[in-house]
Amino acid sequence: MARIAVIGAGMGALTAAARLAVAGHRVAVYERTDTYGGALRRFERDGFSFDTGPALLPLPAVYRDLFVKTGKEPLESCVELVQVDPSSRHVFADGTEVSLPNASRAGVVAALDEGLGAGAGKRWGDFLVRAREAWDRTRRPLLEEPLWPNWQVLAEREPYPSVPHKRLLRTRRAGTLAEIGAWELRDPRLTALLESHALGHGLDPRVAPASAAVLPYMEHAFGTWYVRGGLRELARAVYERCLARKVEFHFGADVTGLLEKDGRASGVELADGSLVEADFVVAGVAPGTLARLTAGTVVRGDGEVPPQPAAAARLTLLLALRGARPEGTAHRTVVHTRDREAELDALFGTAAGNPRPTVTVLRPDDPRLAPADHEAVTLTTVVPARLDQPHDTLVDDMISVAERAVPGLRDRLLWHEVRTPADIADATGAEGGAVPVPALAAAGGRMLHPSNSTRVPGLFTVGGWTHPGGGLPHAGMSGALVAGLIVEGPEFRGSQ
């Protein structure tokens, strides 16, 4: 039985802790804040309750597998999972609207043909077929196996089978998500639909590799799910599973250093000066925090993948509304910007101006979230990752944009709360409140993350800032990979 110190109580760290405890190890988690769950937090006021981090769950199979592997209770006995249908409603710049059914390719094709005109559904359906091929080529190496030592193979090969496109007397293939939209979808609304999946992860579709096509494919293939009571309930269930498996938790325990002995990680030092010895250390922290803990020691794994591009953050508005949620309201509505290029320039470039943004409106059908005859609504948009940005004008713009999806919104508004990148930084430790993105193939390796094993023997990294990247499913996968590497050793090659 090994002693294992886990730094942080984010979802990746929790999943690793539960799996390691079941394998017979003594696991202790040290979390600098007063609670678990990382970005999965909850805000409550006047009988209203809101998720302040992720609010929908793709790929629930990751957490189903966790609960199967760590005990006899299935996930569904600990939380109530509900498939969101429609998966999303989209309000485009020209006023066109379309609602897309959950996990039904045929249904999506029919909805797009009806909403956007004949042929739109077929173009999107054909795109999903190609996106599935990219998924099949990358699923295992990017999600289910430790990062390959020869990761350059993933960096150089574009797995998305682009359609040949003749341009300026030359035949070209799409290398970015934006080029897929322009050359293969050939409809600004379909392009906006495609690019919204990248933008939702903080990616610039103009430079995101074509392999980002797997992001909409995952949603269409595996569905979108909601947890009754909010996704904070998922964090609670995983935390309670850890407790049931005798994982120790120490909250308000700020880890300030990594102990080493004979060139190997041997424990952690806490802010109060106490030293905790361990045979393995699992760090579920952002890169800047990891660098401080190791005093600048190079800890990247084999291969030294290129640094990730600067990540974006999110601005979230929590709205308490008088009046009940109308029957048949979509859980999620994406209201697309009227000037996508200006929005992308403002987010990822140096262009001046503040165009009204793309806003995601979340309206759960969940009576637990608001008093009777009231509604809890959440608005989110992507912003640059920095803590000092002014947000008053953006907040007003977000409400104005959301009125395209929620008529009479301002008249119904009782109060609102703002969650800024600074709040994300406080909850997760990520510099600038940045949100990590999923790992993607191609792009010269820029979209890969450092491996879970490091150059310091006995030190492993877990969570969104390490392989296989950001997002709730990816965090859970990273926990499984770290547990496998510790239990089975360097020869571990992922679950079969």
Side-chain angles (χ1 to χ4, degrees), residues 46-50 320-321 323 366-377:
D46 301 340
F48 291 86
S49 180
F50 304 85
L321 304 186
D366 190 344
R368 305 182 204 181
L369 304 185
D373 296 322
H374 290 75
E375 185 180 6
V377 174

Side-chain angles (χ1 to χ4, degrees), residues 123-455:
R123 288 196 297 277
W124 185 260
D126 290 345
F127 156 74
L128 289 179
V129 171
R130 294 188 290 273
R132 176 179 179 175
E133 188 170 336
W135 167 260
D136 290 340
R137 291 175 177 175
T138 61
R139 175 184 58 85
R140 186 162 182 81
L142 283 182
L143 301 181
E144 298 176 0
E145 296 181 349
L147 185 66
W148 293 351
N150 61 334
W151 58 266
Q152 291 86 351
V153 175
L154 298 174
E156 297 165 359
R157 180 188 306 163
E158 173 54 71
Y160 178 78
S162 302
V163 175
H165 172 73
K166 287 189 176 181
R167 187 180 186 210
L168 300 178
L169 303 180
R170 292 189 300 166
T171 298
R172 300 183 59 185
R173 292 179 181 270
T176 66
L177 207 64
E179 289 174 340
I180 291 176
W183 300 351
E184 299 180 13
L185 297 179
R186 304 187 308 281
D187 183 311
R189 298 163 300 182
L190 290 179
T191 297
L193 172 59
L194 171 66
E195 294 184 352
S196 68
H197 289 274
L199 188 61
H201 287 282
L203 293 171
D204 184 347
R206 299 171 300 184
V207 298
S211 62
V214 300
L215 300 176
Y217 172 77
M218 288 168 60
E219 182 171 307
H220 285 298
F222 306 112
T224 303
W225 302 75
Y226 172 70
V227 178
R228 289 284 187 201
L231 241 65
R232 175 66 178 176
E233 288 298 294
L234 177 65
R236 174 199 56 77
V238 177
Y239 169 67
E240 291 180 353
R241 176 55 54 93
C242 287
L243 291 177
R245 299 301 170 260
K246 309 302 182 185
V247 175
E248 299 175 11
F249 283 87
H250 304 271
F251 295 107
D254 191 5
V255 175
T256 57
L258 175 73
L259 303 180
E260 292 188 44
K261 183 177 181 180
D262 299 327
R264 178 183 175 85
S266 61
V268 297
E269 180 179 0
L270 304 180
D272 63 6
S274 59
L275 306 179
V276 179
E277 295 184 349
D279 300 297
F280 297 94
V281 176
V282 176
V285 297
T289 303
L290 184 61
R292 290 192 293 273
L293 295 180
T294 58
T297 301
V298 176
V299 297
R300 287 181 180 272
D302 295 337
E304 294 285 356
V305 300
Q308 278 260 326
R314 295 190 182 99
L315 187 69
T316 301
L317 303 188
L318 314 176
L319 309 181
L321 304 186
R322 62 173 62 86
R325 176 182 186 270
E327 189 72 24
T329 296
H331 186 120
R332 174 177 57 175
T333 298
V334 180
V335 185
H336 295 268
T337 179
R338 298 186 189 276
D339 191 340
R340 187 175 69 255
E341 198 66 25
E343 177 185 37
L344 297 178
D345 283 341
L347 285 173
F348 304 107
T350 57
N354 297 291
R356 286 191 171 177
T358 295
V359 175
T360 298
V361 182
L362 297 173
R363 307 177 70 182
D365 182 13
D366 190 344
R368 305 182 204 181
L369 304 185
D373 296 322
H374 290 75
E375 185 180 6
V377 174
T378 302
L379 312 182
T380 61
T381 194
V382 176
V383 295
R386 60 178 189 266
L387 303 183
D388 58 349
Q389 56 190 334
H391 60 259
D392 290 345
T393 300
L394 182 55
V395 165
D396 191 67
D397 284 347
M398 290 174 67
I399 293 175
S400 295
V401 170
E403 284 187 299
R404 296 170 59 195
V406 189
L409 173 59
R410 290 184 188 273
D411 293 335
R412 296 179 58 196
L413 184 60
L414 294 171
W415 51 260
H416 74 268
E417 288 281 341
V418 182
R419 285 295 175 267
T420 69
D423 296 309
I424 298 175
D426 183 61
T428 67
E431 295 182 4
V435 177
V437 302
L440 297 171
R446 290 181 297 106
M447 306 308 299
L448 299 177
H449 290 257
S451 62
N452 309 101
S453 55
T454 74
R455 289 189 175 184

